[in-house]
PDB file of all heavy atoms in Angstrom:
ATOM      1  N   ALA A 324     -39.667 -73.523  58.197  1.00 98.00           N
ATOM      2  CA  ALA A 324     -38.946 -72.699  57.232  1.00 98.00           C
ATOM      3  C   ALA A 324     -39.717 -71.412  56.888  1.00 98.00           C
ATOM      4  O   ALA A 324     -39.169 -70.373  56.659  1.00 98.00           O
ATOM      5  CB  ALA A 324     -38.691 -73.494  55.971  1.00 98.00           C
ATOM      6  N   VAL A 325     -41.071 -71.487  56.893  1.00 97.00           N
ATOM      7  CA  VAL A 325     -41.923 -70.354  56.523  1.00 97.00           C
ATOM      8  C   VAL A 325     -42.116 -69.334  57.652  1.00 97.00           C
ATOM      9  O   VAL A 325     -42.093 -68.146  57.453  1.00 97.00           O
ATOM     10  CB  VAL A 325     -43.271 -70.840  55.942  1.00 97.00           C
ATOM     11  CG1 VAL A 325     -44.230 -69.674  55.635  1.00 97.00           C
ATOM     12  CG2 VAL A 325     -43.035 -71.683  54.673  1.00 97.00           C
ATOM     13  N   THR A 326     -42.211 -69.896  58.890  1.00 97.00           N
ATOM     14  CA  THR A 326     -42.610 -68.963  60.060  1.00 97.00           C
ATOM     15  C   THR A 326     -41.694 -69.110  61.234  1.00 97.00           C
ATOM     16  O   THR A 326     -41.858 -68.292  62.187  1.00 97.00           O
ATOM     17  CB  THR A 326     -44.086 -69.225  60.517  1.00 97.00           C
ATOM     18  OG1 THR A 326     -44.064 -70.523  61.175  1.00 97.00           O
ATOM     19  CG2 THR A 326     -45.109 -69.107  59.430  1.00 97.00           C
ATOM     20  N   SER A 327     -40.837 -70.086  61.228  1.00 97.00           N
ATOM     21  CA  SER A 327     -39.966 -70.511  62.397  1.00 97.00           C
ATOM     22  C   SER A 327     -40.684 -71.427  63.354  1.00 97.00           C
ATOM     23  O   SER A 327     -40.121 -72.073  64.245  1.00 97.00           O
ATOM     24  CB  SER A 327     -39.265 -69.372  63.089  1.00 97.00           C
ATOM     25  OG  SER A 327     -40.027 -68.747  64.047  1.00 97.00           O
ATOM     26  N   ASN A 328     -42.035 -71.459  63.286  1.00 95.00           N
ATOM     27  CA  ASN A 328     -42.871 -72.457  64.032  1.00 95.00           C
ATOM     28  C   ASN A 328     -42.283 -72.885  65.317  1.00 95.00           C
ATOM     29  O   ASN A 328     -41.990 -72.095  66.190  1.00 95.00           O
ATOM     30  CB  ASN A 328     -43.138 -73.624  63.068  1.00 95.00           C
ATOM     31  CG  ASN A 328     -44.328 -74.416  63.397  1.00 95.00           C
ATOM     32  OD1 ASN A 328     -45.272 -73.883  63.983  1.00 95.00           O
ATOM     33  ND2 ASN A 328     -44.418 -75.636  63.068  1.00 95.00           N
ATOM     34  N   VAL A 329     -42.208 -74.193  65.566  1.00 95.00           N
ATOM     35  CA  VAL A 329     -41.824 -74.767  66.911  1.00 95.00           C
ATOM     36  C   VAL A 329     -40.428 -74.256  67.316  1.00 95.00           C
ATOM     37  O   VAL A 329     -40.257 -73.850  68.451  1.00 95.00           O
ATOM     38  CB  VAL A 329     -41.960 -76.207  66.934  1.00 95.00           C
ATOM     39  CG1 VAL A 329     -41.443 -76.788  68.227  1.00 95.00           C
ATOM     40  CG2 VAL A 329     -43.385 -76.650  66.814  1.00 95.00           C
ATOM     41  N   PRO A 330     -39.400 -74.317  66.472  1.00 96.00           N
ATOM     42  CA  PRO A 330     -38.085 -73.805  66.931  1.00 96.00           C
ATOM     43  C   PRO A 330     -38.134 -72.329  67.383  1.00 96.00           C
ATOM     44  O   PRO A 330     -37.428 -71.969  68.288  1.00 96.00           O
ATOM     45  CB  PRO A 330     -37.201 -73.952  65.706  1.00 96.00           C
ATOM     46  CG  PRO A 330     -37.828 -75.053  64.891  1.00 96.00           C
ATOM     47  CD  PRO A 330     -39.300 -74.894  65.111  1.00 96.00           C
ATOM     48  N   GLY A 331     -39.039 -71.552  66.770  1.00 96.00           N
ATOM     49  CA  GLY A 331     -39.155 -70.123  67.135  1.00 96.00           C
ATOM     50  C   GLY A 331     -39.823 -69.931  68.490  1.00 96.00           C
ATOM     51  O   GLY A 331     -39.771 -68.826  69.044  1.00 96.00           O
ATOM     52  N   MET A 332     -40.358 -70.987  69.078  1.00 95.00           N
ATOM     53  CA  MET A 332     -40.917 -70.808  70.379  1.00 95.00           C
ATOM     54  C   MET A 332     -39.899 -70.376  71.448  1.00 95.00           C
ATOM     55  O   MET A 332     -40.291 -69.781  72.436  1.00 95.00           O
ATOM     56  CB  MET A 332     -41.600 -72.076  70.799  1.00 95.00           C
ATOM     57  CG  MET A 332     -42.850 -72.437  69.984  1.00 95.00           C
ATOM     58  SD  MET A 332     -43.526 -73.984  70.337  1.00 95.00           S
ATOM     59  CE  MET A 332     -44.332 -73.748  71.856  1.00 95.00           C
ATOM     60  N   ARG A 333     -38.642 -70.633  71.225  1.00 95.00           N
ATOM     61  CA  ARG A 333     -37.628 -70.181  72.159  1.00 95.00           C
ATOM     62  C   ARG A 333     -37.349 -68.697  72.118  1.00 95.00           C
ATOM     63  O   ARG A 333     -36.714 -68.136  72.966  1.00 95.00           O
ATOM     64  CB  ARG A 333     -36.360 -70.978  72.034  1.00 95.00           C
ATOM     65  CG  ARG A 333     -35.404 -70.559  70.965  1.00 95.00           C
ATOM     66  CD  ARG A 333     -34.027 -71.155  71.183  1.00 95.00           C
ATOM     67  NE  ARG A 333     -33.227 -71.133  70.043  1.00 95.00           N
ATOM     68  CZ  ARG A 333     -32.466 -70.066  69.668  1.00 95.00           C
ATOM     69  NH1 ARG A 333     -32.481 -69.003  70.394  1.00 95.00           N
ATOM     70  NH2 ARG A 333     -31.735 -70.153  68.598  1.00 95.00           N
ATOM     71  N   ASN A 334     -37.890 -68.008  71.065  1.00 96.00           N
ATOM     72  CA  ASN A 334     -37.668 -66.586  70.911  1.00 96.00           C
ATOM     73  C   ASN A 334     -38.134 -65.819  72.173  1.00 96.00           C
ATOM     74  O   ASN A 334     -37.521 -64.827  72.551  1.00 96.00           O
ATOM     75  CB  ASN A 334     -38.318 -66.012  69.680  1.00 96.00           C
ATOM     76  CG  ASN A 334     -37.572 -66.452  68.405  1.00 96.00           C
ATOM     77  OD1 ASN A 334     -36.432 -66.921  68.505  1.00 96.00           O
ATOM     78  ND2 ASN A 334     -38.234 -66.351  67.279  1.00 96.00           N
ATOM     79  N   ALA A 335     -39.212 -66.240  72.787  1.00 95.00           N
ATOM     80  CA  ALA A 335     -39.721 -65.559  73.959  1.00 95.00           C
ATOM     81  C   ALA A 335     -38.920 -65.769  75.190  1.00 95.00           C
ATOM     82  O   ALA A 335     -38.960 -65.007  76.106  1.00 95.00           O
ATOM     83  CB  ALA A 335     -41.155 -66.058  74.238  1.00 95.00           C
ATOM     84  N   ILE A 336     -38.060 -66.818  75.134  1.00 93.00           N
ATOM     85  CA  ILE A 336     -37.254 -67.192  76.316  1.00 93.00           C
ATOM     86  C   ILE A 336     -35.783 -66.680  76.177  1.00 93.00           C
ATOM     87  O   ILE A 336     -35.222 -66.277  77.141  1.00 93.00           O
ATOM     88  CB  ILE A 336     -37.242 -68.720  76.479  1.00 93.00           C
ATOM     89  CG1 ILE A 336     -38.683 -69.256  76.654  1.00 93.00           C
ATOM     90  CG2 ILE A 336     -36.391 -69.160  77.651  1.00 93.00           C
ATOM     91  CD1 ILE A 336     -38.851 -70.729  76.473  1.00 93.00           C
ATOM     92  N   GLY A 337     -35.231 -66.809  74.973  1.00 92.00           N
ATOM     93  CA  GLY A 337     -33.861 -66.433  74.742  1.00 92.00           C
ATOM     94  C   GLY A 337     -32.952 -67.667  74.786  1.00 92.00           C
ATOM     95  O   GLY A 337     -33.285 -68.727  75.256  1.00 92.00           O
ATOM     96  N   ALA A 338     -31.811 -67.502  74.153  1.00 90.00           N
ATOM     97  CA  ALA A 338     -30.886 -68.617  73.971  1.00 90.00           C
ATOM     98  C   ALA A 338     -30.250 -69.098  75.279  1.00 90.00           C
ATOM     99  O   ALA A 338     -30.209 -70.276  75.552  1.00 90.00           O
ATOM    100  CB  ALA A 338     -29.831 -68.212  72.953  1.00 90.00           C
ATOM    101  N   GLU A 339     -29.788 -68.210  76.098  1.00 90.00           N
ATOM    102  CA  GLU A 339     -29.056 -68.601  77.348  1.00 90.00           C
ATOM    103  C   GLU A 339     -30.030 -69.368  78.270  1.00 90.00           C
ATOM    104  O   GLU A 339     -29.579 -70.430  78.800  1.00 90.00           O
ATOM    105  CB  GLU A 339     -28.507 -67.378  78.019  1.00 90.00           C
ATOM    106  CG  GLU A 339     -27.223 -66.923  77.424  1.00 90.00           C
ATOM    107  CD  GLU A 339     -26.132 -68.011  77.266  1.00 90.00           C
ATOM    108  OE1 GLU A 339     -25.885 -68.765  78.261  1.00 90.00           O
ATOM    109  OE2 GLU A 339     -25.635 -68.144  76.191  1.00 90.00           O
ATOM    110  N   PRO A 340     -31.210 -68.981  78.572  1.00 93.00           N
ATOM    111  CA  PRO A 340     -32.052 -69.813  79.417  1.00 93.00           C
ATOM    112  C   PRO A 340     -32.358 -71.192  78.824  1.00 93.00           C
ATOM    113  O   PRO A 340     -32.465 -72.154  79.554  1.00 93.00           O
ATOM    114  CB  PRO A 340     -33.349 -68.952  79.547  1.00 93.00           C
ATOM    115  CG  PRO A 340     -32.990 -67.572  79.308  1.00 93.00           C
ATOM    116  CD  PRO A 340     -31.829 -67.696  78.305  1.00 93.00           C
ATOM    117  N   VAL A 341     -32.433 -71.308  77.460  1.00 90.00           N
ATOM    118  CA  VAL A 341     -32.634 -72.612  76.872  1.00 90.00           C
ATOM    119  C   VAL A 341     -31.448 -73.522  77.103  1.00 90.00           C
ATOM    120  O   VAL A 341     -31.598 -74.678  77.449  1.00 90.00           O
ATOM    121  CB  VAL A 341     -32.979 -72.449  75.366  1.00 90.00           C
ATOM    122  CG1 VAL A 341     -32.902 -73.770  74.619  1.00 90.00           C
ATOM    123  CG2 VAL A 341     -34.299 -71.808  75.157  1.00 90.00           C
ATOM    124  N   LEU A 342     -30.237 -72.990  76.918  1.00 88.00           N
ATOM    125  CA  LEU A 342     -29.042 -73.795  77.159  1.00 88.00           C
ATOM    126  C   LEU A 342     -28.918 -74.151  78.610  1.00 88.00           C
ATOM    127  O   LEU A 342     -28.575 -75.318  78.914  1.00 88.00           O
ATOM    128  CB  LEU A 342     -27.804 -72.924  76.691  1.00 88.00           C
ATOM    129  CG  LEU A 342     -27.666 -72.721  75.188  1.00 88.00           C
ATOM    130  CD1 LEU A 342     -26.554 -71.785  74.924  1.00 88.00           C
ATOM    131  CD2 LEU A 342     -27.437 -74.089  74.507  1.00 88.00           C
ATOM    132  N   ARG A 343     -29.190 -73.236  79.513  1.00 92.00           N
ATOM    133  CA  ARG A 343     -29.133 -73.526  80.959  1.00 92.00           C
ATOM    134  C   ARG A 343     -30.116 -74.680  81.306  1.00 92.00           C
ATOM    135  O   ARG A 343     -29.730 -75.616  82.004  1.00 92.00           O
ATOM    136  CB  ARG A 343     -29.426 -72.224  81.700  1.00 92.00           C
ATOM    137  CG  ARG A 343     -29.189 -72.451  83.235  1.00 92.00           C
ATOM    138  CD  ARG A 343     -29.260 -71.112  83.999  1.00 92.00           C
ATOM    139  NE  ARG A 343     -30.434 -70.334  83.670  1.00 92.00           N
ATOM    140  CZ  ARG A 343     -30.479 -69.163  83.000  1.00 92.00           C
ATOM    141  NH1 ARG A 343     -29.337 -68.699  82.464  1.00 92.00           N
ATOM    142  NH2 ARG A 343     -31.584 -68.569  82.789  1.00 92.00           N
ATOM    143  N   ARG A 344     -31.326 -74.566  80.749  1.00 92.00           N
ATOM    144  CA  ARG A 344     -32.363 -75.576  81.048  1.00 92.00           C
ATOM    145  C   ARG A 344     -31.909 -76.967  80.501  1.00 92.00           C
ATOM    146  O   ARG A 344     -32.077 -77.965  81.170  1.00 92.00           O
ATOM    147  CB  ARG A 344     -33.682 -75.175  80.488  1.00 92.00           C
ATOM    148  CG  ARG A 344     -34.802 -76.120  80.658  1.00 92.00           C
ATOM    149  CD  ARG A 344     -35.366 -75.951  82.043  1.00 92.00           C
ATOM    150  NE  ARG A 344     -36.571 -76.765  82.218  1.00 92.00           N
ATOM    151  CZ  ARG A 344     -36.926 -77.289  83.329  1.00 92.00           C
ATOM    152  NH1 ARG A 344     -36.200 -77.057  84.416  1.00 92.00           N
ATOM    153  NH2 ARG A 344     -38.015 -78.040  83.390  1.00 92.00           N
ATOM    154  N   ALA A 345     -31.380 -76.983  79.253  1.00 89.00           N
ATOM    155  CA  ALA A 345     -31.014 -78.201  78.628  1.00 89.00           C
ATOM    156  C   ALA A 345     -29.817 -78.905  79.213  1.00 89.00           C
ATOM    157  O   ALA A 345     -29.840 -80.129  79.390  1.00 89.00           O
ATOM    158  CB  ALA A 345     -30.830 -77.971  77.108  1.00 89.00           C
ATOM    159  N   PHE A 346     -28.814 -78.104  79.554  1.00 91.00           N
ATOM    160  CA  PHE A 346     -27.560 -78.719  79.987  1.00 91.00           C
ATOM    161  C   PHE A 346     -27.239 -78.693  81.467  1.00 91.00           C
ATOM    162  O   PHE A 346     -26.295 -79.347  81.917  1.00 91.00           O
ATOM    163  CB  PHE A 346     -26.393 -78.125  79.190  1.00 91.00           C
ATOM    164  CG  PHE A 346     -26.471 -78.361  77.738  1.00 91.00           C
ATOM    165  CD1 PHE A 346     -26.713 -77.296  76.799  1.00 91.00           C
ATOM    166  CD2 PHE A 346     -26.465 -79.616  77.183  1.00 91.00           C
ATOM    167  CE1 PHE A 346     -26.811 -77.526  75.459  1.00 91.00           C
ATOM    168  CE2 PHE A 346     -26.582 -79.925  75.832  1.00 91.00           C
ATOM    169  CZ  PHE A 346     -26.762 -78.837  74.959  1.00 91.00           C
ATOM    170  N   PHE A 347     -28.053 -77.943  82.220  1.00 93.00           N
ATOM    171  CA  PHE A 347     -27.781 -77.849  83.688  1.00 93.00           C
ATOM    172  C   PHE A 347     -28.958 -78.251  84.538  1.00 93.00           C
ATOM    173  O   PHE A 347     -28.827 -79.077  85.475  1.00 93.00           O
ATOM    174  CB  PHE A 347     -27.345 -76.470  84.064  1.00 93.00           C
ATOM    175  CG  PHE A 347     -25.904 -76.172  83.500  1.00 93.00           C
ATOM    176  CD1 PHE A 347     -25.809 -75.536  82.272  1.00 93.00           C
ATOM    177  CD2 PHE A 347     -24.837 -76.479  84.189  1.00 93.00           C
ATOM    178  CE1 PHE A 347     -24.566 -75.306  81.732  1.00 93.00           C
ATOM    179  CE2 PHE A 347     -23.531 -76.243  83.660  1.00 93.00           C
ATOM    180  CZ  PHE A 347     -23.393 -75.647  82.400  1.00 93.00           C
ATOM    181  N   GLU A 348     -30.164 -77.729  84.236  1.00 93.00           N
ATOM    182  CA  GLU A 348     -31.302 -77.977  85.050  1.00 93.00           C
ATOM    183  C   GLU A 348     -31.991 -79.371  84.835  1.00 93.00           C
ATOM    184  O   GLU A 348     -32.523 -79.913  85.693  1.00 93.00           O
ATOM    185  CB  GLU A 348     -32.354 -76.887  84.806  1.00 93.00           C
ATOM    186  CG  GLU A 348     -31.828 -75.511  85.270  1.00 93.00           C
ATOM    187  CD  GLU A 348     -32.806 -74.371  84.827  1.00 93.00           C
ATOM    188  OE1 GLU A 348     -33.931 -74.651  84.442  1.00 93.00           O
ATOM    189  OE2 GLU A 348     -32.338 -73.213  84.885  1.00 93.00           O
ATOM    190  N   ASN A 349     -31.874 -79.860  83.582  1.00 91.00           N
ATOM    191  CA  ASN A 349     -32.585 -81.132  83.231  1.00 91.00           C
ATOM    192  C   ASN A 349     -31.690 -82.339  83.297  1.00 91.00           C
ATOM    193  O   ASN A 349     -31.929 -83.336  82.700  1.00 91.00           O
ATOM    194  CB  ASN A 349     -33.224 -81.008  81.868  1.00 91.00           C
ATOM    195  CG  ASN A 349     -34.543 -80.320  81.851  1.00 91.00           C
ATOM    196  OD1 ASN A 349     -35.117 -80.128  82.920  1.00 91.00           O
ATOM    197  ND2 ASN A 349     -35.010 -80.027  80.678  1.00 91.00           N
ATOM    198  N   VAL A 350     -30.548 -82.256  83.929  1.00 90.00           N
ATOM    199  CA  VAL A 350     -29.646 -83.382  84.082  1.00 90.00           C
ATOM    200  C   VAL A 350     -29.356 -83.739  85.548  1.00 90.00           C
ATOM    201  O   VAL A 350     -29.386 -82.910  86.412  1.00 90.00           O
ATOM    202  CB  VAL A 350     -28.307 -83.146  83.363  1.00 90.00           C
ATOM    203  CG1 VAL A 350     -28.568 -82.978  81.882  1.00 90.00           C
ATOM    204  CG2 VAL A 350     -27.577 -81.926  83.911  1.00 90.00           C
ATOM    205  N   ASP A 351     -29.150 -85.009  85.802  1.00 90.00           N
ATOM    206  CA  ASP A 351     -28.840 -85.495  87.164  1.00 90.00           C
ATOM    207  C   ASP A 351     -27.346 -85.647  87.297  1.00 90.00           C
ATOM    208  O   ASP A 351     -26.784 -85.432  88.429  1.00 90.00           O
ATOM    209  CB  ASP A 351     -29.542 -86.749  87.465  1.00 90.00           C
ATOM    210  CG  ASP A 351     -31.074 -86.593  87.536  1.00 90.00           C
ATOM    211  OD1 ASP A 351     -31.480 -85.507  88.014  1.00 90.00           O
ATOM    212  OD2 ASP A 351     -31.811 -87.492  87.188  1.00 90.00           O
ATOM    213  N   LEU A 352     -26.646 -86.080  86.286  1.00 91.00           N
ATOM    214  CA  LEU A 352     -25.203 -86.393  86.375  1.00 91.00           C
ATOM    215  C   LEU A 352     -24.455 -85.434  85.491  1.00 91.00           C
ATOM    216  O   LEU A 352     -24.779 -85.212  84.361  1.00 91.00           O
ATOM    217  CB  LEU A 352     -24.886 -87.793  85.943  1.00 91.00           C
ATOM    218  CG  LEU A 352     -25.583 -88.925  86.799  1.00 91.00           C
ATOM    219  CD1 LEU A 352     -25.306 -90.247  86.124  1.00 91.00           C
ATOM    220  CD2 LEU A 352     -25.079 -88.913  88.182  1.00 91.00           C
ATOM    221  N   GLN A 353     -23.425 -84.870  86.005  1.00 89.00           N
ATOM    222  CA  GLN A 353     -22.443 -83.977  85.268  1.00 89.00           C
ATOM    223  C   GLN A 353     -23.096 -82.885  84.428  1.00 89.00           C
ATOM    224  O   GLN A 353     -22.917 -82.838  83.240  1.00 89.00           O
ATOM    225  CB  GLN A 353     -21.627 -84.847  84.370  1.00 89.00           C
ATOM    226  CG  GLN A 353     -20.791 -85.929  85.058  1.00 89.00           C
ATOM    227  CD  GLN A 353     -19.971 -86.792  84.134  1.00 89.00           C
ATOM    228  OE1 GLN A 353     -20.311 -86.892  82.926  1.00 89.00           O
ATOM    229  NE2 GLN A 353     -18.931 -87.401  84.610  1.00 89.00           N
ATOM    230  N   PRO A 354     -23.837 -82.025  85.077  1.00 93.00           N
ATOM    231  CA  PRO A 354     -24.375 -80.841  84.389  1.00 93.00           C
ATOM    232  C   PRO A 354     -23.153 -80.051  83.827  1.00 93.00           C
ATOM    233  O   PRO A 354     -22.290 -79.681  84.555  1.00 93.00           O
ATOM    234  CB  PRO A 354     -25.125 -80.082  85.394  1.00 93.00           C
ATOM    235  CG  PRO A 354     -24.785 -80.604  86.742  1.00 93.00           C
ATOM    236  CD  PRO A 354     -24.139 -81.955  86.541  1.00 93.00           C
ATOM    237  N   GLN A 355     -23.241 -79.784  82.501  1.00 90.00           N
ATOM    238  CA  GLN A 355     -22.171 -79.049  81.884  1.00 90.00           C
ATOM    239  C   GLN A 355     -22.536 -78.697  80.409  1.00 90.00           C
ATOM    240  O   GLN A 355     -23.363 -79.361  79.826  1.00 90.00           O
ATOM    241  CB  GLN A 355     -20.881 -79.918  81.851  1.00 90.00           C
ATOM    242  CG  GLN A 355     -20.998 -81.199  81.043  1.00 90.00           C
ATOM    243  CD  GLN A 355     -19.824 -82.101  81.151  1.00 90.00           C
ATOM    244  OE1 GLN A 355     -18.699 -81.631  80.962  1.00 90.00           O
ATOM    245  NE2 GLN A 355     -20.050 -83.395  81.426  1.00 90.00           N
TER     246      GLN A 355
END
Side-chain angles (χ1 to χ4, degrees):
V325 174
T326 68
S327 81
N328 202 28
V329 173
M332 292 172 74
R333 82 163 162 85
N334 288 345
I336 301 165
E339 282 306 312
V341 167
L342 291 171
R343 188 172 49 254
R344 180 82 172 148
F346 297 117
F347 292 91
E348 297 170 14
N349 278 347
V350 296
D351 293 325
L352 300 173
Q353 300 178 337
Q355 61 186 313

